[in-house]
Each structure stands twice: as C-alpha cells, then as structure tokens.
Amino acid sequence: MTDHSRSGGALRRSHVRRWVAYAVVAAVVAAVVSFIRLGSPGDHHERYFFGTLQTSPRTARADKAHGMRMAHMTVSWERFEPAPGQVDQHYVAMLERKLRMLRDAGLHVEVGVGLNTPPSWLSSRYPEDAFTDQGGARFTSSPNLVFSQEIRNEVEGYLRRLDQEIGLAKFWAIRIGVNSSGEFTYPPPAASARGAMSYWAFDRHAQASGADPGRPATVPPNPYPGWRPGQLTYQGAPFTTSQVSRWYDWYLAALADAVNWQTRLYETLGYHGLMLVLIPGGGFFPSDLSAAVQGHLGQTANGGLISRGAGFFRTIGLVQHRPTVQLVSTALVDGSGTPRNNGCQPSDGTVVPDALAPGAEARVRAWSSVRWISRIAAREGFPISGESAGPHVAPYYPGVMSEAGRQLRSCGLTGLMWAFDSNLYDGTPGSSLGDYASVIATLQRGAAP
C-alpha cells in the first residue's frame, strides 16, 4: 500500500478507538430499541428475530404461527408518485391494506421505501444529475443520492409525503442503501463499460471543482476533476499512486455520505425505528485495492467491485454511529467460502480487516461473505443481522436453512430474514415452512441447528 493508504488506515483505527465507547452504548441501545419494538409479552424469551422477504399477507398468519415475528414489504416510489408532487391514492390504499394485514397477523414490518425504483420523471427533470461513469454512460435505475443535492431534495419531499400518507412510525425498520438493489455500493458497471468497470463520479456535480451548490455540502469537491481511472498523468504531470489513493478515498467517502444523509433525514422526520444498512456479499480485499491503486484504477481482476466501492473494510467504518443503525449481511448461504458457507470462529477476533498481512488475507479469503462482514461489523462497533442470498444467487438444497442458522449463531447475528416468503410454500428444496420452523425453534432454544 502507499504511504497515504497506511496513514489512512491509522486514522481509521484511531476513529474506531474514539468511537468504541459510544459504539458499545449504541449497540446496547439498539438492542433495547429492537426489544421494545417487538412488543409482545413472549418476546423476552426469544434470542433472535426471524422473518421473510417479500412477505405475503396471505401467509402472514402461518408465518407467525411457525415462529416468525418479522415481515417485509416494499414501496415503489414510481407508483406512489407518478408525477412530481402527485400521490396515487389508490396505490396508497393498497399499501395501507397490506401493512394492516401484516400487522394484524402479529408481525412487525420492515420496509424498503423504494429509492431504488425512482419515477421516470426524475431523470427527465434532472437529466444532467444522473449517475455518470468515466465513459459517459448514464445510470437512472437508482437516483444519484451521492452527488446531486437536487435529487436529494426530491427524495426528501417523497419521504415526507410517504410519512404523511402511511406513517413511517408504523414500520419496525427501514432499509438503507444506494444502488439499484437498495444496497450499500455504487451501481453496477454499465453495459458499455470497458473492462466492466464504471466509476460513477463523472456527472456535472461530481466533476465540479470548488464550491458547487448542486453538490451536497457534506460531499467535498473532487480533488482531481477531469482525471479518469487508468490515466497515468494529470494536467501534463505524472499522476502518483498517492494521488490515486486520495481520489479513491474521496469516492468512497462520497458513497458513505449518501447513507449517512439518509439516516440523518429519517431522524429529522422523527423516525425512531431501526435503520438497516444492507451489505451485499463480501466485496474486495485490501490487496485488491493496493493492486488497483498501483495500476491507477485501470483494469484489474476485481475492478468491477472496486468501481462499485464494495470495499466494506473501508466503507463500513465511514458509516456514522447512531443508536438505531444496524448492518445487514444480505449474503447468508451464498455459496462463498471454503468450506462453503462456513461460519465464524472465536479466533476471527484477532483479524484487523484493514491491515491484513499477506498470509492472513489468504486465510480470510476462504471465509464466507457473512463471516468477513461480521468481523468488520464487530471491529467497527455495529450490530448485524442477516438475510439469505436467495435461490437466484445460490440455489437452495436440503439442509440450507440449517447452514444459515449455523452462520447466524456463530457470527453473533441478531436475526435472519429468509429470501423469500414464497419459497416456504412453493416446494423449493430445503426451504419449506417446516424446515424454517424447525431451525427457528432450535436456535431460540440456544442450540445449534
């Protein structure tokens, strides 16, 4: 790594030490908040929470009867607000009916508010504010929460209207993310991206030098406007690896700012439930970043992950601690690790994620995604829960729920949301309602499934 990278690591470790006392308090408060919001008299007997993604109101009572306490629903921004400031009351009524049915079944509801389903009028209204990569490709499937203040203003207006119509306080948790899947990375590479890498920092606000009222005040100006990944020079002079590191640090910090802005906004709106930051997969590792920096962020084996900012050993530490902010690994039983889907070990606590020696990194690369993210979460002082990756990522099979349960228990996760509710009822191998009920009962007894 460059000297700049080493000094950055020291600053991050100093940041962790400064926050450690606060983080412990935050974890305790978050656990208390979770407990309070569960609400039913029997909840104090339960070690973990369990639920499903895309929960159907038709199966909600059966879910509850088999040990689940949580449900999940999504809101479509596009359907809610088909024109600027215009709310579709028929869609609101449908959302209210679904929410009422889930709650009447005795389930607590987490919500995806639909920032990853923006209305088409948004990009038409702000054509120059869309995510734009180094080749000029635009991405409009998720709003540019990172570099556009105007887009943030539209999102704030939407969330205020959603709060007025539905009531955010009715939700046990709100899901937080940036990309088109609602998770904590930049968007995926554009189809036209050379080498399958898109660095989404080339819209007009991301490229503005100095002050720019169109860029969020909490995002500093681009340190090297006009420089593009892969270029070896800048303004006629050699571009050093220290400068590459500085540019990439700015790129990651801007991504994290979009998450921190959301959590601040929900607090401003008076929301006191959990805010769940979604962490997809395991991302890349320190040596991947070192190699990419040495190559001026040109084409590398993990360039796609690096351009998406999926360096969770760096970005999780940039998330602001708040009493109700928790992480979610969305990659349980995703088939990662050797052996596949391995769980956490007590010795994992000796690993320092952002300062791995070569031998240590080789061992960590054999960890499952959730094992790696759990270690980072513990290092940075965040509670963490999990979601199964889903059969579209890694096909389910007999015993898969038990493997997820072992990952949950060994990694100290607070709960599990199973993807998807329909897979409990449609004959998916290893994913029946009975399978889930058995794993839930075993874990709540404190035993290993």
Side-chain angles (χ1 to χ4, degrees):
M1 295 289 279
T2 64
D3 290 341
H4 176 82
S5 298
R6 284 194 291 268
S7 65
L11 286 173
R12 287 189 298 277
R13 289 189 289 275
S14 173
H15 166 81
V16 172
R17 288 193 293 270
R18 287 198 308 271
W19 278 99
V20 66
Y22 182 84
V24 171
V25 173
V28 172
V29 172
V32 171
V33 170
S34 299
F35 168 73
I36 290 172
R37 293 187 68 83
L38 295 184
S40 72
D43 284 338
H44 65 280
H45 295 302
E46 298 182 346
R47 300 170 185 268
Y48 311 100
F49 71 81
F50 294 94
T52 60
L53 297 182
Q54 299 180 8
T55 312
S56 170
R58 294 189 300 274
T59 60
R61 293 188 183 279
D63 288 357
K64 174 69 183 302
H66 286 80
M68 285 164 262
R69 300 292 178 264
M70 307 303 159
H72 162 263
M73 65 178 283
T74 59
V75 176
S76 167
W77 181 7
E78 184 171 32
R79 295 185 63 186
F80 181 90
E81 191 177 10
Q86 176 185 316
V87 176
D88 184 335
Q89 293 298 330
H90 292 291
Y91 182 61
V92 169
M94 187 195 78
L95 292 174
E96 289 180 323
R97 184 168 57 253
K98 182 174 185 178
L99 178 59
R100 183 173 59 253
M101 292 174 69
L102 294 172
R103 286 162 60 95
D104 286 350
L107 299 175
H108 306 274
V109 183
E110 70 167 44
V111 65
V113 296
L115 300 189
N116 57 328
T117 58
S120 59
W121 58 258
L122 188 69
S123 58
S124 299
R125 198 175 198 183
Y126 305 102
E128 296 184 19
D129 286 40
F131 278 119
T132 306
D133 75 359
Q134 70 275 19
R138 298 169 69 252
F139 190 89
T140 59
S141 295
S142 56
N144 187 354
L145 301 179
V146 180
F147 296 113
S148 173
Q149 183 59 50
E150 290 174 309
I151 297 296
R152 288 190 182 187
N153 293 342
E154 292 287 359
V155 169
E156 180 175 354
Y158 159 60
L159 292 177
R160 288 186 180 278
R161 286 184 281 277
L162 183 63
D163 189 28
Q164 291 166 1
E165 296 288 345
I166 303 294
L168 294 177
K170 295 177 182 177
F171 296 108
W172 167 72
I174 295 176
R175 297 159 73 84
I176 305 286
V178 177
N179 67 22
S180 53
S181 299
E183 297 170 311
F184 185 22
T185 72
Y186 281 101
S192 60
R194 185 168 178 263
M197 295 186 301
S198 284
Y199 287 88
W200 297 107
F202 292 88
D203 61 84
R204 58 174 178 162
H205 302 305
Q207 286 297 301
S209 59
D212 176 10
R215 186 182 62 245
T218 47
V219 177
N222 189 328
Y224 305 107
W227 179 78
R228 281 170 164 69
Q231 292 180 342
L232 305 181
T233 61
Y234 180 67
Q235 296 181 348
F239 198 63
T240 68
T241 55
S242 180
Q243 290 172 307
V244 175
S245 287
R246 183 183 174 197
W247 187 92
Y248 193 71
D249 286 348
W250 166 80
Y251 185 68
L252 293 185
L255 173 65
D257 185 78
V259 165
N260 294 330
W261 170 75
Q262 290 176 69
T263 60
R264 290 194 302 269
L265 175 58
Y266 286 120
E267 285 192 346
T268 299
L269 294 174
Y271 181 72
H272 302 296
L274 296 182
M275 293 181 280
L276 307 175
V277 180
L278 306 184
I279 312 297
F284 61 82
F285 291 88
S287 68
D288 299 323
L289 178 57
S290 180
V293 167
Q294 293 299 318
H296 287 70
L297 303 182
Q299 295 186 35
T300 63
N302 290 288
L305 289 174
I306 291 169
S307 69
R308 297 192 70 179
F312 304 119
F313 64 95
R314 296 281 300 277
T315 57
I316 287 174
L318 299 173
V319 174
Q320 292 174 352
H321 284 267
R322 281 178 157 73
T324 56
V325 170
Q326 296 192 18
L327 306 182
V328 181
S329 169
T330 64
L332 271 68
V333 290
D334 65 350
S336 61
T338 306
R340 181 182 65 177
N341 298 329
N342 56 67
C344 299
Q345 298 292 331
S347 59
D348 294 353
T350 63
V351 169
V352 181
D354 61 349
L356 290 174
E361 181 170 317
R363 292 190 296 274
V364 167
R365 283 179 179 273
W367 290 7
S368 64
S369 299
V370 67
R371 184 177 179 183
W372 173 232
I373 298 304
S374 295
R375 175 60 198 129
I376 299 170
R379 171 75 174 173
E380 300 294 347
F382 285 103
I384 182 170
S385 62
E387 295 177 3
S388 61
H392 60 297
V393 175
Y396 289 157
Y397 47 86
V400 67
M401 283 185 164
S402 293
E403 288 188 7
R406 287 191 286 273
Q407 288 184 319
L408 178 152
R409 188 171 185 263
S410 65
C411 294
L413 307 185
T414 60
L416 170 65
M417 299 293 282
W418 189 256
F420 297 92
D421 191 70
S422 61
N423 295 131
L424 302 183
Y425 299 92
D426 65 4
T428 299
S431 183
S432 72
L433 182 62
D435 291 330
Y436 202 18
S438 176
V439 168
I440 290 172
T442 300
L443 287 165
Q444 299 292 29
R445 290 198 305 270

